[in-house]
Amino acid sequence: MYQTELLAATDHGIARAAGLLREGALVAFPSETVYGLGGDARQDRTVARIFEAKGRPGFNPLIAHLPDPEAAARYVDFPPLARQLAGRFWPGPLTLVLPLREGAGISPLATSGLTTLAVRVPAHPVARALLRAFGGPLAGPSANPSGRVSPTRAAHVMAGLSGRIEAVLDGGACEVGVESTILGFADGGVQLLRPGGLPVEELEVALGQRIAQHTTPKEPGRPMAPGQLGSHYAPGALVRLGARAAETGEILVGFGPVKGDLTLSESGDLVEAAARLFHILREADALAGPDGRIAFAPIPETGLGHAINDRLRRAAAPRF
Ligand code: TXA
Ligand code: MG
């Protein structure tokens, strides 16, 4: 058990967090998408502790966070399309799965032994300051117990991981609210591995081409990206989607014209809905109580709606 420190995002707090990370400790950190569970991606023991703290299956690889594209280029090779997208969208909610460079020094536990590494340059000022102060690749899955709702506030991290990690750096509420969009670059093309905080339509406009969806696992039980596990983001309550009204005993989460006990966005704004999603899931779960049920209003399948619907489908998926 650890006495988890809650660090303010001051110069002092950031320096303390970076010092802990260099010693191999686990420090949760804010990003514009969700909070990450940070640890030095070069230290096997640290990476193993990330899996242990989350209760995460060992076959699910981690994203390495870097302060800038130059730092990322020390660990992975950039094909031209990836270079173009990194130039346009980094820092930001975009993760690129790229060929790992030989001798890069990343723990094989972090990549689950794959020959690729997922890299991301986050935009959150506190994350960037932390990455600069730490000076290495920071492994960072979402800072929640595996399979549960992702954290968008320091209090969410504390609720799930207090006692299991050394510290949480508090950067306030995450602005985007859903995880990064993940792209792969196999066979000279571009594949969408996870819809996320950067709408795929924007990526398609930048590339001038459609992006293939690769979000179904080729081998069952060996996901290419996390959301590819059926049940994920699961609250305690059962979840029903596409609801226009509550059934008996349900907590209804509205959107736009569908009024609920709670709402993702009264004005039907997808940016606001994404930012509130995981917080509202937690609130609805608390309201529903043990063995409760939550119903969600329909969300349009456009822009950030892809990522929101993806998370909601997994929250509603059968649990094993
Ligand atoms: O927004 C985000 O991406 C957040 C913040 C903290 O950066 N992180 C996050 O990490 O969502 P995580 O671990 O919950 O989801 C990242 C997923 C992994 O579960 C994995 O399936 C996929 O990215 N991934 C990582 N490395 C991969 C690789 N080499 N090939 C394919 N997928 C990979
Ligand atoms: Mg996650």
Side-chain angles (χ1 to χ4, degrees), residues 7-267:
L7 302 170
T10 56
D11 288 351
H12 179 263
I14 290 167
R16 167 90 184 133
L20 284 168
L21 288 171
R22 278 193 294 272
E23 288 167 12
L26 302 187
V27 180
F29 63 97
S31 87
E32 71 277 28
T33 57
V34 301
Y35 274 73
L37 174 47
D40 189 336
R42 299 163 298 193
Q43 300 189 37
D44 292 328
R45 199 188 109 75
T46 299
V47 177
R49 276 195 56 214
I50 293 180
F51 285 98
E52 186 192 52
K54 279 183 67 80
R56 175 163 175 141
F59 54 66
N60 205 350
L62 306 177
I63 297 173
H65 298 73
L66 286 316
D68 48 58
E70 293 71 33
R74 278 186 225 135
Y75 301 95
V76 287
D77 292 321
F78 281 79
L81 287 179
R83 186 174 302 278
Q84 183 191 339
L85 293 175
R88 169 84 172 72
F89 293 106
W90 276 354
L94 174 65
T95 294
L96 306 176
V97 174
L98 297 171
L100 182 62
R101 292 184 68 162
E102 217 160 300
I106 299 290
S107 165
L109 282 176
T111 55
S112 304
L114 298 174
T115 56
T116 51
L117 174 68
V119 288
R120 163 158 130 78
V121 175
H124 196 296
V126 177
R128 304 199 76 197
L130 177 66
L131 289 169
R132 281 193 299 269
F134 167 55
L138 189 63
S142 50
N144 52 286
S146 189
R148 312 303 293 196
V149 179
S150 298
T152 52
R153 302 179 183 202
H156 298 166
V157 180
M158 279 297 204
L161 296 177
S162 179
R164 295 169 162 259
I165 63 178
E166 277 84 347
V168 180
L169 183 57
D170 186 353
C174 302
E175 259 185 35
V176 176
V178 290
E179 295 88 343
S180 59
T181 300
I182 304 182
L183 295 181
F185 294 87
D187 309 321
V190 186
Q191 301 88 33
L192 178 67
L193 301 183
R194 176 176 75 183
L198 182 60
V200 70
E201 292 93 332
E202 284 188 42
L203 289 158
E204 291 181 334
V205 168
L207 286 175
Q209 65 177 69
R210 294 299 302 273
I211 296 177
Q213 307 250 345
H214 268 244
T215 46
T216 327
K218 289 192 181 130
E219 278 175 70
R222 205 178 156 85
M224 290 168 64
Q228 299 185 3
L229 298 163
S231 172
H232 205 80
Y233 311 105
L238 290 177
V239 176
R240 180 170 73 92
L241 304 182
R244 295 186 187 275
E247 290 174 0
T248 318
E250 279 181 340
I251 297 295
L252 178 64
V253 179
F255 177 82
V258 178
K259 307 287 171 222
D261 304 289
L262 303 164
T263 181
L264 284 174
S265 170
E266 204 164 348
S267 63

